[in-house]
Amino acid sequence: MGKMEPFNRLTPAEAERLALLAEECGEVVQAVGKILRHGYESVHPDGGPTNRESLTRECGDVYHAIWRLIGAGDIDGNEMSQWADDKAKKMINYLHHQT
């Protein structure tokens, strides 16, 4: 019997990069939730980094995962930057406390 192609047609490397991005995004969501509940400067009762430090680290991990996608050609970095610029222009009308 021949080798089956995955239904999503992703290579193992592509799937791994997407899994990394999803995992890191989830960790950012968790860090944001802790800040919303306890504040930026709160720390775990047993010690460790502040919530601000944790968010910074997790955002860095997402940034790394994105750069892996760009480096592998999964997404276009220039196009991503253009989307970010477009989003910034659109969002200003919907933000209440940002300048």
Side-chain angles (χ1 to χ4, degrees), residues 9 13 17 34:
R9 297 185 185 175
R17 289 188 295 272
K34 287 181 181 181

Side-chain angles (χ1 to χ4, degrees), residues 82-94:
Q82 185 60 56
W83 278 106
D85 290 345
D86 293 348
K87 184 70 168 187
K89 291 171 189 167
K90 291 177 190 174
M91 285 305 298
I92 199 65
N93 297 320
Y94 301 100

Side-chain angles (χ1 to χ4, degrees), residues 4-58:
M4 286 187 58
E5 182 178 309
F7 70 93
N8 58 17
R9 297 185 185 175
L10 296 175
T11 68
E14 290 170 329
E16 184 176 49
R17 289 188 295 272
L18 289 171
L20 175 64
L21 178 62
E23 180 182 335
E24 300 302 350
C25 286
E27 290 174 6
V28 166
V29 170
Q30 183 179 21
V32 168
K34 287 181 181 181
I35 291 167
L36 290 172
R37 288 189 352 239
H38 305 293
Y40 271 116
E41 303 311 319
S42 180
V43 297
H44 190 278
D46 295 334
T50 65
N51 289 339
R52 183 186 310 273
E53 292 166 334
S54 293
L55 178 62
T56 301
R57 183 182 63 239
E58 299 304 344

Side-chain angles (χ1 to χ4, degrees), residues 64-82:
H64 168 80
I66 290 168
W67 278 110
R68 282 196 169 275
L69 293 171
I70 292 168
D74 296 331
I75 63 173
D76 183 296
N78 292 325
E79 189 175 339
M80 183 189 78
S81 293
Q82 185 60 56

